[in-house]
Amino acid sequence: MSGSKKPTTNIQRATNVVYQAHHVSRSKRGQVVGTRGGFRGCTVWLTGLSGAGKTTIGFALEEYLLSRGMPCYSLDGDNIRHGLNKNLGFSTDDREENIRRVAEVARLFADAGLVCITSFISPFAKDRQNAREIHEMAGLPFFEIFIDAPLNICESRDVKGLYKKARAGEIKGFTGIDSEYEKPESPELVLKTNIATVNECIQQVVELLQAQNIVPKTVIKNVLELFVPENKIDQARADANMLPTLEITKLDLQWVQVLSEGWATPLKGFMRETEYLQVIHFGTLRDDGVINLSIPIVLPVALEDKQRLDGCTAFALEYNGQRVAILGNPEFYEHRKEERCARVWGTTCVKHPHVKMVMESGDWLAGGDLLVLEKIKWNDGLDQYRLTPLELRQKFEEMNADAVFAFQLRNPVHNGHALLMQDTKSHLLERGYKHPVLLLHPLGGWTKEDDVPLEWRMKQHAAVLEEHVLDPKSTIVAIFPSPMLYAGPTEVQWHCRARMIAGANFYIVGRDPAGMPHPETKKDLYEPTQGGKVLSMAPGLASVEIIPFRVAAYNKVKKAMIFYDSERHDEFDFISGTRMRKLAREGENPPDGFMAPKAWKVLTEYYKSLEKNINSTFS
């Protein structure tokens, strides 16, 4: 980068060394390193002028691959000169030695089974060729990627002021100013960072690595929708009208929506027996690496329907007289309900509301490939909030989000929840993210009778945003179509992974997520802190960072919800959900600062509407 202010390093070369072969093969390393089988070691060599975007792309690529189970490591030019190469200057010889050392280190990373990403100006063609030959001699893939940005663009990005100093003569031998940069003649890829976004550049690199069998296809295909293609919809409708039908329930239709929109990617339909067994025994799908999927998504059928449809190559799913989907290549297997409930919920108590539904459902399960004729709509005035994973990703891109943190909820938002979301945003900004976006994502499928209905929760959330308790400009409110299971730590993994599919890379986990009191003992069915602990250890969720729950309570001195401090215990008032509901039913106000006033008013209106319904029933 700068001139030859330091003398060339004198290197004493060893002559009495013999290379020792490893006992562990690369294929064996490939089985152990990362969650996706197969040896994938290689080096991605990013070269270009200072300010072209090498470091930005290198770190973004590292984050992208790691979040998808691909082990990798990024070597950055400045970082290496703080340690391994801190004894080297910027003379021609030292630059050559700098790149030689980096190439050798990259080779070791690649040989260990990692994707090694190097971000170095590496201005001389012979040095880059030497780096390539070091890898080729070891039988390791090497991909030279030219980060191509015009000099004036690089200068405009010069946050370190190096170009300005070089122009002023304060730095001699600066690449691009008074030292030549030799452009690659035949790189594997050229990235024009003056016209392509970082995400677009990453996709180009990933596609290159996929073509070379480094990255599996499933890493790129993040969302698998199950809708019939538009150009085949007429034929599919005609086929559906000719097929035998199976009448499905509202709960089944909610799962059809979940599957069709891609929330359960890579499932191609209701689970077949092999998928079902993997999920209830391992909590994962294991056909392509380790894919977290902790709950069975299944279609129960009665014995008479199984007997009627067994042997069909396909049948239509019908809801309220309308054919909504086709289940192709179906298979039927026994619905062992007690085992399912014991494994998923940890209880077979039929007073548990979802366990009760399972026990009352069909004795057989139907799995198969699902083709959905059109997007599921409920026509309840809330369909505009039911954004699919792909639609949410598009929204995040339009908002220039560089971090998305998701908050799953099935209850009204009070200021303790808001505090946790505000605190998460502050920490993300401190970590260097510029545009963190909150996904406020209430669950919109089936919930138990005493939960606040979706319609009223959405009104309450709108009031929270209206009062700017949360920032409307950096918040997306959308509905997650999944039914609620109340399965605690098992279910919270599903909630987290579904948001990961939608593009979230941070997930806020609360106290006792997806939990409820035991229907008989009334004690917590699940230990309240274990949901967060399980999430932090769960396999297949590497692309999401878990934001652990911090206890927030009402501080009587500050008259606000703040994080609990045990040393000032007497200042805090823990307002339970039961107490909150009692206040709302009686039309009383909570302490100032507990909930936004307009949001509280929505709650009181809801409970008043319940009283009116009860009174009208008995009048």
Side-chain angles (χ1 to χ4, degrees), residues 11 26 46 60 96 164 235 254 289 324 340 393 408 478 526 531:
I11 301 172
R26 287 176 182 169
L46 306 180
E96 179 181 339
K164 186 176 180 180
Q235 182 61 51
Q254 290 173 358
V324 296
R340 175 184 169 189
R393 286 172 175 247
Q408 139 83 29
Y526 310 104

Side-chain angles (χ1 to χ4, degrees), residues 291-555:
I291 298 170
N292 187 286
L293 194 52
S294 58
I295 62 166
I297 301 178
V298 292
L299 180 62
V301 297
L303 174 61
E304 54 269 28
D305 286 321
K306 184 258 184 187
Q307 292 173 334
R308 178 173 58 86
L309 298 169
D310 205 359
C312 294
T313 57
F315 55 84
L317 304 183
E318 187 173 271
Y319 179 74
N320 283 351
Q322 180 181 354
R323 300 184 187 212
V324 296
I326 296 171
L327 195 70
N329 301 313
E331 67 172 72
F332 296 93
Y333 53 102
E334 188 180 354
H335 188 186
R336 300 184 64 85
K337 303 173 192 177
E338 189 173 14
E339 181 187 11
R340 175 184 169 189
C341 293
R343 290 188 179 279
V344 175
W345 285 274
T347 181
T348 57
C349 178
V350 293
K351 292 182 180 179
H352 184 293
H354 208 119
V355 170
K356 181 175 184 291
M357 290 195 296
V358 171
M359 291 299 194
E360 293 174 352
S361 66
D363 292 334
W364 292 84
L365 297 175
D369 301 330
L370 193 66
L371 274 178
V372 180
L373 300 178
E374 62 181 6
K375 187 176 178 182
I376 305 299
K377 293 186 178 179
W378 300 94
N379 300 313
D380 55 0
L382 298 174
D383 283 328
Q384 71 270 25
Y385 293 105
R386 294 184 172 94
L387 302 178
T388 68
L390 288 177
E391 289 170 339
L392 282 169
R393 286 172 175 247
Q394 181 62 37
K395 285 274 189 184
F396 300 146
E397 189 172 330
E398 291 169 0
M399 297 173 72
N400 295 317
D402 54 359
V404 177
F405 58 109
F407 189 69
Q408 139 83 29
L409 67 167
R410 71 174 198 271
N411 291 309
V413 175
H414 58 61
N415 287 356
H417 298 135
L419 177 64
L420 192 55
M421 290 181 262
Q422 293 161 353
D423 185 63
T424 298
K425 181 178 179 180
S426 296
H427 278 91
L428 292 175
L429 290 169
E430 289 172 4
R431 287 170 58 171
Y433 292 98
K434 303 298 182 185
H435 304 288
V437 169
L438 166 64
L439 173 60
L440 190 66
H441 213 200
L443 183 136
W446 174 88
T447 55
K448 54 190 175 67
E449 290 183 355
D450 59 347
D451 280 348
V452 178
L454 177 64
E455 174 192 1
W456 288 95
R457 283 185 279 131
M458 292 300 289
K459 290 179 181 177
Q460 197 266 353
H461 301 340
V464 168
L465 289 171
E466 186 181 342
E467 294 212 26
H468 289 265
V469 176
L470 299 171
D471 180 12
K473 293 181 180 178
S474 61
T475 301
I476 293 177
V477 181
I479 294 172
F480 177 44
S482 175
M484 191 73 197
L485 275 71
Y486 305 94
T490 297
E491 184 177 8
V492 75
Q493 296 174 70
W494 158 243
H495 290 169
C496 179
R497 185 181 182 273
R499 279 37 179 250
M500 180 182 85
I501 292 292
N505 44 8
F506 296 90
Y507 185 82
I508 302 172
V509 58
R511 179 187 181 277
D512 195 21
M516 62 172 282
H518 192 286
E520 291 183 334
T521 67
K522 305 306 177 186
K523 296 180 180 179
D524 287 329
L525 185 55
Y526 310 104
E527 201 285 321
T529 67
Q530 287 185 353
K533 293 173 182 176
V534 166
L535 266 190
S536 67
M537 300 182 289
L541 296 178
S543 68
V544 182
E545 183 174 330
I546 307 304
I547 308 297
F549 176 76
R550 294 178 64 190
V551 177
Y554 184 75
N555 186 279

Side-chain angles (χ1 to χ4, degrees), residues 184-196:
E185 293 184 0
S186 55
E188 276 73 15
L189 185 65
V190 177
L191 299 177
K192 301 277 189 180
T193 58
N194 59 318
I195 58 176

Side-chain angles (χ1 to χ4, degrees), residues 22 41 94 272 561:
H22 286 273
D94 278 8
R272 298 179 181 276
M561 296 291 288

